[in-house]
Amino acid sequence: MTEPVQAPRPNRFARLRAATDRVPTKWFATIGTVLFLAATAAFGGLNDVPAEAKTLDELTAGETHTSPQLAITVERGVLIDSLSGTGAFPDEEKGERLLVLLVEVENRWDRPLATFGSEGVQRAVLLEGDGRAADGIVREDDQTVTPWLQPGVPALLAFSWVVPGDAYADGDALKIVLGDATLYQAQLLSSGESWVDRAPAAVVTIPLEDVGAGAES
């Protein structure tokens, strides 16, 4: 009598394949992601790709830098012992002087802009290597201190910093950093628009003039 032929026993790989055939395909994607993240964490995690450094526009005296908020033209830079009406007060006993920039600024927005304050235009014009906003800002035509800038109306402003007497000298190539801000639309618990996150966008290089006491400036 012939014995019945027994079917071959499935090996471990066949059983594994049969089991995986019943697992939804999308589970494999999830499992693979989990394993990838676990392996990545073991080697220090996902490193951020370094942000590409932004190239700043390079300008000279009389050239204009334009952004959605402002058009800025640095005209002249002078050292002076003191100058009334600037809103900046050097201490003569400490040897301090004033560094004054004459800058034409046009408000390109559709509503007035303040020159002072955390979001003021004062933060748009800075001395390279000196993060301080100007100690004083005044309009040249009517001597208004910390003026508001009206839309579409260029204004010549004097930005003044109190500086140590030996910090700058006649003929220095003075570098001024101009910053652009981003228009932010408030949401949820507040409303309105404001200019925030000002960042360097251009560098203006001008010759610095020492006008002494300022009698002939």
Side-chain angles (χ1 to χ4, degrees):
M1 180 177 180
T2 303
E3 296 183 359
V5 178
Q6 295 182 351
R9 297 177 60 187
N11 61 34
R12 71 183 69 178
F13 299 106
R15 291 197 298 269
L16 176 60
R17 181 173 180 180
T20 57
D21 285 343
R22 295 192 294 272
V23 179
T25 303
K26 65 180 180 180
W27 287 17
F28 286 109
T30 302
I31 294 170
T33 301
V34 172
L35 292 176
F36 169 75
L37 292 176
T40 303
F43 290 93
L46 294 171
N47 294 324
D48 293 334
V49 177
E52 184 177 350
K54 179 179 179 180
T55 301
L56 304 184
D57 293 338
E58 296 185 5
L59 307 174
T60 59
E63 295 184 323
T64 301
H65 172 71
T66 303
S67 73
Q69 185 193 31
L70 302 168
I72 304 174
T73 308
V74 180
E75 300 286 358
R76 186 185 181 195
V78 300
L79 280 173
I80 192 169
D81 291 346
S82 63
L83 188 63
S84 62
T86 62
F89 308 98
D91 188 328
E92 183 178 353
E93 294 184 358
K94 293 181 179 180
E96 294 176 339
R97 305 186 74 194
L98 285 182
L99 192 158
V100 182
L101 295 181
L102 294 180
V103 185
E104 183 180 88
V105 182
E106 179 182 348
N107 174 7
R108 302 185 68 240
W109 201 23
D110 59 2
R111 65 204 73 174
L113 287 171
T115 50
F116 261 74
S118 60
E119 300 175 8
V121 173
Q122 71 178 100
R123 303 298 308 178
V125 180
L126 300 176
L127 303 177
E128 185 180 66
D130 186 343
R132 298 177 302 149
D135 295 305
I137 297 180
V138 60
R139 283 184 64 116
E140 278 294 285
D141 55 0
D142 59 12
Q143 303 300 299
T144 299
V145 178
T146 63
W148 284 79
L149 301 181
Q150 300 302 318
V153 182
L156 186 61
L157 305 178
F159 289 70
S160 299
W161 286 262
V162 174
V163 296
D166 58 356
Y168 299 91
D170 184 68
D172 282 353
L174 183 66
K175 293 185 179 296
I176 302 104
V177 180
L178 307 182
D180 290 350
T182 300
L183 185 61
Y184 172 73
Q185 175 65 60
Q187 301 175 1
L188 297 178
L189 300 180
S190 59
S191 61
E193 295 176 318
S194 58
W195 293 93
V196 299
D197 299 331
R198 194 175 296 281
V203 175
V204 184
T205 304
I206 63 173
L208 185 60
E209 307 169 56
D210 191 333
V211 296
E216 300 178 359
S217 62

